[in-house]
Structure formats: structure tokens, C-alpha cells
Amino acid sequence: MNKIAFILPVLSLLSGCLVPFDIPSKTQEAWRGRPISELQQKVGPGGSFGTDNNGERYYFRKQSGDFRIINPSGGLVNRSCEFRAYIDNQNRITHFKRINNGLNCTNYIYLLD
């Protein structure tokens, strides 16, 4: 019983790594062509601009951190989410992308609705 009580919460937390929470196409369409300044107002202060390997420009926000899972080794689990809004030369949104390195975060998806 002790093993099950330990394994279930850990599996539940780690399953977030495997479940893709993509930004719905309906939401992507609603934002396409809108100025990046509208998104910046919606999500609040912060964020930066970058360029990916293909030369596409984007505005991004990143959340990250570690938390401890209760287990015998007391290990840390990293959770991070990078949310990108790709923009054209007129700073208008073309599409969104989420990059996860650990447990998924969906905060930004909810802000877009």
C-alpha cells in the first residue's frame, strides 16, 4: 500500500510531461494579425523578444522553477514553460508555440481566451 501511495502522485505529476496542451487553432486564428502590444497588455509586464534558428522573430514569456517531490531521495523536478508569439515585420502575431522542458504549464493558454 505504501508503494501505491507513493507512485500514484509521482505518476500524476510526471504525466504532465507527456500530455500535450497545444494552443487551440481557434485561439490561434483569433489572435492572428493582431499587434503584439495587445498580447503584452493581456499577459502583463515582462517578456522579451528573440529570433529562432529559422530567423523568425518572436516575443516570449518563460516560467520555470523546481519543486521537491516527496520521495526517499528527496529529488527535485524541474518545470518550465516557454510561451512564444511569433511575429511578422509589422509586429503582428502570426502564430503561437509552447516549448516545455518538464511539467506542462497552461497559464498562458487560459490568458488568450
Side-chain angles (χ1 to χ4, degrees), residues 9 35 50-51 63 65-66 75 79 84 91-92 94 96 98 105-106:
T51 305
Q63 292 183 347
D66 294 327
R79 65 162 181 84
R84 293 182 180 180
N91 287 330
R92 297 197 177 273
T94 60
F96 297 112
R98 235 176 45 161
C105 72
T106 58

Side-chain angles (χ1 to χ4, degrees), residues 82-95:
E82 184 174 323
F83 170 80
R84 293 182 180 180
Y86 281 83
I87 53 176
D88 62 17
N89 291 334
Q90 289 78 40
N91 287 330
R92 297 197 177 273
I93 297 169
T94 60
H95 66 283

Side-chain angles (χ1 to χ4, degrees), residues 96-110:
F96 297 112
K97 186 176 184 181
R98 235 176 45 161
I99 299 168
N100 292 308
N101 298 315
L103 297 176
N104 288 320
C105 72
T106 58
N107 299 346
Y108 297 117
I109 293 173
Y110 294 122

Side-chain angles (χ1 to χ4, degrees), residues 16-86:
C17 300
L18 305 173
V19 179
F21 286 104
D22 289 334
I23 298 155
S25 58
K26 179 180 173 183
T27 303
Q28 297 246 11
E29 277 301 314
W31 281 90
R32 191 171 320 225
R34 291 167 68 177
I36 193 64
S37 58
E38 285 185 31
L39 178 67
Q40 289 172 309
Q41 287 176 336
K42 183 92 170 172
V43 298
S48 300
F49 289 90
T51 305
D52 70 9
N53 293 340
N54 297 328
E56 289 185 278
R57 293 178 40 231
Y58 60 88
Y59 166 77
F60 72 98
R61 302 287 299 254
K62 189 171 186 175
Q63 292 183 347
S64 63
D66 294 327
F67 62 92
R68 192 170 302 280
I69 290 182
I70 300 170
N71 66 25
S73 68
L76 291 175
V77 173
N78 178 269
R79 65 162 181 84
S80 73
C81 172
E82 184 174 323
F83 170 80
R84 293 182 180 180
Y86 281 83

